[in-house]
């Protein structure tokens, strides 16, 4: 798959049999819809708690950040906030193909996870923690 922000070919990163596409140039990560559901299932979470459809329904955040095109369907992705303190601005395909996290966002997530490890995590936090675990080792 081609990185939506810098157009490099992404590598596949696997954790717990869930495959994510990762760009080694800008450090972004793409989650496709099946992978997100699989991850929620594996965590014993109701996938409706953080479904792509739900994220795709969030209001499009007004931001100066450039809009990227979905690497699957080519449509412009929406910006959505997930997480807290700080919120992470992610890109979501309006058709529900998947989610895109910029490299900087992955770092924010790792920091958030480092700060609240062990605390009672809700479904969004667990997704963020998963990403933190996946990319910690990558440096
Ligand atoms: Zn990239
Ligand atoms: Zn799409």
């Amino acid at each position: 798959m081609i990185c939506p922000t810098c157009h490099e070919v992404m590598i596949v990163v696997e954790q717990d049999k869930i495959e994510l596409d990762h760009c080694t140039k800008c450090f972004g990560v793409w989650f496709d819809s099946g992978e997100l559901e699989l991850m929620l299932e594996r965590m014993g979470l109701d996938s409706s708690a953080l479904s792509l459809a739900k994220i795709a329904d969030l209001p499009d955040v007004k931001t100066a950040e450039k809009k990227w095109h979905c690497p699957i369907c080519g449509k412009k992705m929406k910006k959505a906030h997930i997480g807290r303190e700080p919120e992470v601005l992610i890109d979501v395909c309006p058709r529900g193909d998947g989610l895109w996290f910029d490299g900087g966002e992955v770092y924010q997530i790792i920091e958030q996870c480092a700060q609240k490890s062990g605390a009672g995590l809700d479904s969004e936090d667990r997704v963020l923690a998963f990403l933190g675990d996946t990319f910690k080792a990558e440096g």
Side-chain angles (χ1 to χ4, degrees), residues 34-83:
E35 286 152 359
L36 183 67
E37 274 163 27
L38 195 63
M39 182 185 66
L40 295 171
E41 242 170 58
R42 188 140 317 146
M43 290 173 169
L45 295 170
D46 177 0
S47 58
S48 66
L50 192 66
S51 68
L52 260 175
K54 204 164 158 189
I55 297 171
D57 267 354
L58 292 171
D60 194 5
V61 177
K62 299 260 180 295
T63 167
E65 246 185 58
K66 208 175 156 189
K67 293 213 171 180
W68 311 116
H69 294 267
C70 171
I72 293 177
C73 70
K75 284 201 189 301
K76 252 188 201 167
M77 292 192 280
K78 284 171 59 165
K79 302 278 181 189
H81 273 140
I82 66 166

Side-chain angles (χ1 to χ4, degrees), residues 68-117:
W68 311 116
H69 294 267
C70 171
I72 293 177
C73 70
K75 284 201 189 301
K76 252 188 201 167
M77 292 192 280
K78 284 171 59 165
K79 302 278 181 189
H81 273 140
I82 66 166
R84 281 178 299 276
E85 301 163 29
E87 289 177 312
V88 178
L89 188 63
I90 61 164
D91 299 87
V92 56
C93 168
R95 293 191 344 159
D97 292 325
L99 302 175
W100 173 253
F101 292 78
D102 286 337
E105 292 160 358
V106 177
Y107 273 109
Q108 282 179 36
I109 289 159
I110 292 168
E111 274 173 26
Q112 284 190 21
C113 296
Q115 283 163 9
K116 62 178 168 195
S117 49

Side-chain angles (χ1 to χ4, degrees), residues 115-131:
Q115 283 163 9
K116 62 178 168 195
S117 49
L121 299 178
D122 69 19
S123 52
E124 282 188 16
D125 293 333
R126 287 199 233 178
V127 170
L128 302 181
F130 173 88
L131 282 172

Side-chain angles (χ1 to χ4, degrees), residues 3 5-8 23 25-28 100:
C3 173
T5 73
C6 67
H7 305 111
E8 289 288 311
C23 176
K25 192 175 171 199
C26 68
F27 306 110
W100 173 253

